[in-house]
Amino acid sequence: MTEPPPGRATETAESRQRWGWSGHGEGAKVEKDAMGLFLDDVAYAFAEISVSALPVILAVYLAGDIRVFGARTATLVAWLTMVVVAAVIRGGWVTPLGSDVPGWVTLAPSLVLLRFVYFNAALALAGYGGAAISGELGLPLESVLFAFVVGVLSVALFPRLAEDVSRRHAS
């Protein structure tokens, strides 16, 4: 088995095992079916993206823009899209853009700041960009489509960016 590139975790994409909880204070790797794998990966991706992007999520939702196709809607669409795309990349269902290596990004300390900056910037772009498309241009459905595309592309390109940052950090 070849060594994955720096910053990348390929074991979850190549395995049907995930950590499980027995309820008796012990965890163990357990074999999961396709739905179990997907749900596990969605929970992981949701936690990672939500915690990293919490400042923008809170800013958008506390700002008071309550239009139906405003910043809240665009942010929510991008946020959920980012979670699903990260989950399918983590599980090995699809390969990220710009890379032929399956799997998601490691939780290396050098990549924590990258996650924070990158996911906040992506959600800010999707939310406020979508709100501008809806409000200024009067294109509500296009604002949702914009948020969806930003969500897909930002997460699909993130593993490649993490590889590059890890390589630079290691040298």
Side-chain angles (χ1 to χ4, degrees):
M1 188 165 141
T2 62
E3 190 71 23
R8 296 293 298 283
T10 60
E11 57 275 352
T12 54
E14 298 168 345
S15 171
R16 296 182 59 87
Q17 293 185 342
R18 298 291 189 273
W19 277 100
W21 175 254
S22 67
H24 299 287
E26 296 178 13
K29 283 210 170 197
V30 294
E31 190 85 13
K32 294 192 176 189
D33 63 359
M35 182 57 75
L37 291 172
F38 180 69
L39 291 175
D40 189 87
D41 294 338
V42 165
Y44 181 94
F46 181 80
E48 180 178 330
I49 291 170
S50 300
V51 169
S52 299
L54 195 56
V56 165
I57 293 168
L58 286 175
V60 168
Y61 281 89
L62 295 175
D65 180 11
I66 58 171
R67 292 178 293 147
V68 175
F69 289 101
R72 289 181 180 183
T73 302
T75 301
L76 181 64
V77 168
W79 182 14
L80 296 178
T81 302
M82 289 168 73
V83 167
V84 171
V85 173
V88 297
I89 290 172
R90 182 176 191 261
W93 305 93
V94 298
T95 304
L97 295 176
S99 176
D100 58 352
V101 178
W104 190 236
V105 178
T106 65
L107 287 173
S110 62
L111 298 175
V112 171
L113 181 61
L114 176 66
R115 280 179 169 82
F116 180 79
V117 171
Y118 188 83
F119 291 147
N120 278 285
L123 280 179
L125 172 65
Y128 294 116
I133 290 170
S134 174
E136 302 298 321
L137 302 177
L139 303 169
L141 296 179
E142 286 81 350
S143 71
V144 172
L145 179 63
F146 174 78
F148 176 79
V149 170
V150 169
V152 169
L153 290 178
S154 64
V155 172
L157 292 168
F158 183 67
R160 177 57 194 203
L161 176 64
E163 282 180 37
D164 293 343
V165 168
S166 292
R167 281 191 181 99
R168 285 190 200 119
H169 190 274
S171 54

